[in-house]
Amino acid sequence: MRFFSDNAAAACPAVLDALAEANRLDTAYDGDQWSRRLDGAFSDLFETEVRALWVTTGTAANCIGLATLCPPYGAILCHRDAHIENDEAGAPGFYTNGAKLMLVDGPGAKLTVDAVAEARGRVRADVHQVQPKAVSITNATEYGLTYSADETATLGEFARSHGLGFHLDGARFANAVVSTGAKPADLTWRAGVDVMSFGFVKNGGLNAEALVFFRTELADEALVLRKRAGHLLSKGRYLAAQLLAMLENDAWLDNARAANAAAQALAAAAGPRLVHPVQANELFVRMTPAEAAKLRAQGFDFYDWAPGEIRLVTSWDQDMEAVGRLAAAIEAL
Amino acid sequence: MRFFSDNAAAACPAVLDALAEANRLDTAYDGDQWSRRLDGAFSDLFETEVRALWVTTGTAANCIGLATLCPPYGAILCHRDAHIENDEAGAPGFYTNGAKLMLVDGPGAKLTVDAVAEARGRVRADVHQVQPKAVSITNATEYGLTYSADETATLGEFARSHGLGFHLDGARFANAVVSTGAKPADLTWRAGVDVMSFGFVKNGGLNAEALVFFRTELADEALVLRKRAGHLLSKGRYLAAQLLAMLENDAWLDNARAANAAAQALAAAAGPRLVHPVQANELFVRMTPAEAAKLRAQGFDFYDWAPGEIRLVTSWDQDMEAVGRLAAAIEAL
Amino acid sequence: MRFFSDNAAAACPAVLDALAEANRLDTAYDGDQWSRRLDGAFSDLFETEVRALWVTTGTAANCIGLATLCPPYGAILCHRDAHIENDEAGAPGFYTNGAKLMLVDGPGAKLTVDAVAEARGRVRADVHQVQPKAVSITNATEYGLTYSADETATLGEFARSHGLGFHLDGARFANAVVSTGAKPADLTWRAGVDVMSFGFVKNGGLNAEALVFFRTELADEALVLRKRAGHLLSKGRYLAAQLLAMLENDAWLDNARAANAAAQALAAAAGPRLVHPVQANELFVRMTPAEAAKLRAQGFDFYDWAPGEIRLVTSWDQDMEAVGRLAAAIEAL
Amino acid sequence: MRFFSDNAAAACPAVLDALAEANRLDTAYDGDQWSRRLDGAFSDLFETEVRALWVTTGTAANCIGLATLCPPYGAILCHRDAHIENDEAGAPGFYTNGAKLMLVDGPGAKLTVDAVAEARGRVRADVHQVQPKAVSITNATEYGLTYSADETATLGEFARSHGLGFHLDGARFANAVVSTGAKPADLTWRAGVDVMSFGFVKNGGLNAEALVFFRTELADEALVLRKRAGHLLSKGRYLAAQLLAMLENDAWLDNARAANAAAQALAAAAGPRLVHPVQANELFVRMTPAEAAKLRAQGFDFYDWAPGEIRLVTSWDQDMEAVGRLAAAIEAL
């Protein structure tokens, strides 16, 4: 019974069907009929004109997006626990040709305007120091918290008024939309977001993610960067078809609802053991090694996060009976 | 009736079956059971110990490989018509952090030792000039010619004796193996090749290519470069499963045989119109615009390559009846 | 008697005096009184508002300038024999973070609009190929030829109308100004040049070159790039003082006149042996190894350029008696 | 009366004399007689075989050195207040093609093994995180503290045993040598240092710094990197001559002694106001804005470092009478 990562889950049926449907002759790269429908499909979803590109990983989506916002000699303000800092092997530096991540602290991997302003304020506006050019947030965060539309808009306003680009890592954006009940538009462009990575793989996709530009004029450069990084697949229609399948049937929302519900069931059981509020599909739970071993002995698989702390991640296809057993097992500790 | 690119073809049945089989819970990234079998499967094929990584594009495979052979301040000797020079948007410069392609001429996009030696000889061995550090060839070439095992070995010997790494772009390696009848080992490591991209997508794959290291000590760096470039997919098992499926059933050879046979049927018809010998699955055919229009009017789709020249590419799934009709139509011109 | 490089000559008296004058307490970096006068001094010279930065080498000047014109994924059209291609160790690739030099042929290392247009025309305007973003010329060229104001303007018009930046490598700009009799303004911004490196070191400077922006809005980025490359010297006043000393007394023109005159004296002697017209301070002279040896035996020092060809370079401080003796020795061959 | 930066001071007489002596014809770049003596001169000083290159800035020296120790995908452990982090505009990222600085805390900008070990220990040894490849310290530190030979050796041992390169920023190495009384060898290679930047400009030089390799096999790559970065001056002899002049007459030690002595005189006056011990030529002094204004009104020039804190820097040519007056003025506050 796996609770260690939504990355390990299977692809959902709509995605597999879409692959089969796309398995026919069509134009190479992104000239096919599916890829050409992406801008429209995401524009509908976001209630404004956007441009949307497929890529195969969140790292590629994040870093191509960041590279359109930040020059090689600039810095990106982000949380110390952000995925771009901790889990992308320096890809932001690679894609931006050398930009720097300027790290900001705050509970739950969440940025506040105060913390961002303080970090930015420490930089002298001279040629000796690297100047911030963008802010990046993750919603839901790496610790499973969400930004509300208002929280996002406050950061967006700060970014705008200081000439900073605003990037959103939406690896678990679906979970945030479901959790906050906010419209996708309110969590993004209406809040000042310029570009986002929109995650599908952790949410039942097979290997397609979306890179969505609300500042549509940035997309042309992104097309070049995608190709230059070897991310323009020659049979891109299989990626586009996955994205369309998950959007058109609201599978992306259904999947996220299922994962979030499983997380809530576990959160209720974990109660005071929770390190962070559970607002998406991740739980960080205080637990002694002996307790963790006891759960593992019952067949539950998860990640040791820190001394005395485990991480549980739920997925779109989580077996609710297994969830119930884990909840009971936690309560029984 | 499509003859414009093997990139546009569908994926073959073995690949689709493999995707379905891999659609289950397993470890994320490349820790799954399929990815862990790649080294062994490719080692068997090449009759020596190799290390093999999946990536999603030939550009990524080529450029990660080249980056392990050439420092940022070095140069890679390649043909002026090489894919890495003409069709990868500068990705070699991106992945190597600035290395230079040093262009060499020769008919049919094929390198000879003489031409490579001459290009290398023009470089002064001082700090003012960029020094060559690697040679790259493509087999089959961008014009559908093949290198024999001996031709490859001659270049390999030159590379070795001058301290140059040796890279093989094998986007259509399967077609070369079938065409030359040579063993994979003889076209690669026995001929001095250090690293190759091994193409599957043009040959019936969906979106998986292999990057194979004969100098196995280079693979660890490649793992880092792959991740840093955003090419470590979180559900990598779908890529590994494709590669295994095509290897284990010799589907890769069957597919290439089919494509090559279709090309030979067309070559017989094109006869003296051929610009290059047809040794793989590409034909470059002299043709006036009026003749090309006549073919198109009959429903044949292909690429105008140069003034008075068209390109025909055959695929694993080419309908042989359509091939026969095209052959007849060319003869009837 | 040295004729091998103007790089080997001494610094002229005005420069040494300027160093002594600058040897006092002043603000660090480029905040000192001399550095602050550069914009004005070069604006006067060019009869328009420019911005001027000191750097210590032509390579740095060229490459910082190019980096403001060309993105990492772009290409710079230049002559195959350009210094940026042949003698800067790949620095353009380093400073632009990966841009490519697209090589153009032509006699005397000189570009023509036809040759540039043809090279540009070979590039497909798609995402698979690196797109040209700038043109770079050298005046006087690496073979000692000059571009007239009209020739420059024709190239400038081509660049402008195709959206390309226009860079001038002016390592021997002084020699070109003296030789053509053109105004500095007519050889640069009036002809469409956006940015130039303005050489002083080969012309009697000690270690200061100028980077001059006619598109002044590019200079702010150049200040950042200069610092980021470690080229913002902490005692920059010694560089600024050199440049001012050579400008304010027309020493730069006097020095170039002397070097050009020495070259003309040798050119008259070399006559039909000349490979290129002599329009600046470099001569390329056909000569057998035995003849070259004969000259060397008489104490003349120079560079073997190619089989059967030597290079002679004259300097600002060339001893005219030695020049006369070399001229006589060549005539006597 | 200037106390704001040793970067603003004049060059010392030995340096100016050396420039005049070098002002004659010699080979270009670094082939001249002075440049060829550098390896020997620095080898004598360090009592072992080293290789030494001139460059014009500490940033270039630091970053070329770091680039020989750390690949683009690696990290350099350094203090949060290190010059390479705060005052080099991201040059380490530029020169290493994207490596990351991993910041470590500690009083006085000084690293301890415990702090370095803790930072390194936070990194998972997997492909998702950037792996540390080098440690960099500054001696004397940015806050004017020194590392003893033993302290350096302890860090060197840590680096060695963890496979990390060890870099020393010696912008004020002379002050550290004088202050600690240690031999140059004991503060460097005997303590495990692989490469250092050896500062001359802040200590009475004009515009030459040294980059010294104790792991001599790294120097060949550094020669390439120096050229590629535009730091190979064509008249390099003026730089080499400066370095030799300061070494051969022990001017570097005399100059540092003078600066340190001036700092000690001020330290005695500042007493309990000192934020850090004064072990080199920098003082950080607690002072209200009103007090600072009072000093400025008496003609003393210095830098406001932080709220309630000023920085005083003494130089090799500090007028000791002015020092006495400042000391008295501070005591009188």
Side-chain angles (χ1 to χ4, degrees), chain A residues 35-313:
Chain A
S35 298
R36 280 182 282 114
R37 282 160 54 202
L38 288 184
D39 286 354
F42 281 91
S43 295
D44 288 349
L45 178 70
F46 283 106
E47 306 172 59
T48 190
E49 192 199 340
V50 306
R51 289 187 60 192
L53 289 71
W54 43 253
V55 288
T56 54
T57 64
T59 294
N62 282 331
C63 295
I64 293 173
L66 289 169
T68 67
L69 295 181
C70 185
Y73 47 82
I76 298 154
L77 292 154
C78 70
H79 196 281
R80 178 179 307 283
D81 295 326
H83 197 267
I84 56 173
E85 162 67 8
N86 278 322
D87 292 288
E88 301 192 351
F94 181 52
Y95 274 86
T96 59
N97 296 293
K100 178 173 167 170
L101 301 184
M102 206 165 271
L103 305 180
V104 182
D105 291 300
K110 237 176 122 172
L111 294 187
T112 61
V113 165
D114 285 352
V116 173
E118 202 244 317
R120 186 180 168 281
R122 279 195 302 265
V123 180
R124 296 190 316 267
D126 68 24
V127 82
H128 299 268
Q129 297 206 318
V130 178
Q131 302 297 309
K133 299 289 182 184
V135 178
S136 174
I137 63 170
T138 310
N139 194 13
T141 75
E142 288 74 11
Y143 287 116
L145 274 69
T146 56
Y147 290 87
S148 68
D150 279 354
E151 287 170 327
T152 309
T154 308
L155 285 159
E157 175 55 25
F158 179 86
R160 198 198 54 72
S161 65
H162 291 86
L164 305 171
F166 192 14
H167 166 262
L168 169 62
D169 178 346
R172 294 189 180 92
F173 183 64
N175 304 285
V177 169
V178 164
S179 172
T180 59
K183 289 178 134 189
D186 291 333
L187 290 177
T188 57
W189 63 274
R190 284 202 193 109
V193 172
D194 295 315
V195 55
M196 77 177 293
S197 62
F198 189 140
F200 285 83
V201 174
K202 291 180 196 293
N203 192 31
L206 192 143
N207 56 16
E209 308 275 25
L211 171 59
V212 182
F213 286 95
F214 304 106
R215 280 178 57 197
T216 54
E217 74 278 12
L218 300 176
D220 283 341
E221 188 180 36
L223 290 173
V224 175
L225 298 177
R226 179 176 66 173
K227 169 66 193 176
R228 181 171 170 84
H231 279 288
L232 180 62
L233 272 67
S234 52
K235 298 181 179 175
R237 59 191 181 278
Y238 297 100
L239 302 184
Q242 289 179 53
L243 300 179
L244 293 172
M246 289 186 68
L247 285 189
E248 283 162 8
N249 305 305
D250 273 355
W252 72 289
L253 291 171
D254 293 343
N255 287 355
R257 256 180 228 116
N260 283 11
Q264 287 305 322
L266 296 175
R273 289 175 178 269
L274 292 173
V275 180
H276 305 288
V278 177
Q279 300 175 341
N281 64 327
E282 294 188 291
L283 301 94
F284 297 81
V285 183
R286 284 181 205 92
M287 195 162 286
T288 64
E291 292 171 327
K294 204 173 292 185
L295 292 186
R296 286 203 171 95
Q298 299 171 64
F300 300 105
D301 193 9
F302 49 82
Y303 197 59
D304 288 321
W305 190 255
E309 183 179 341
I310 67 165
R311 187 186 76 168
L312 303 172
V313 187

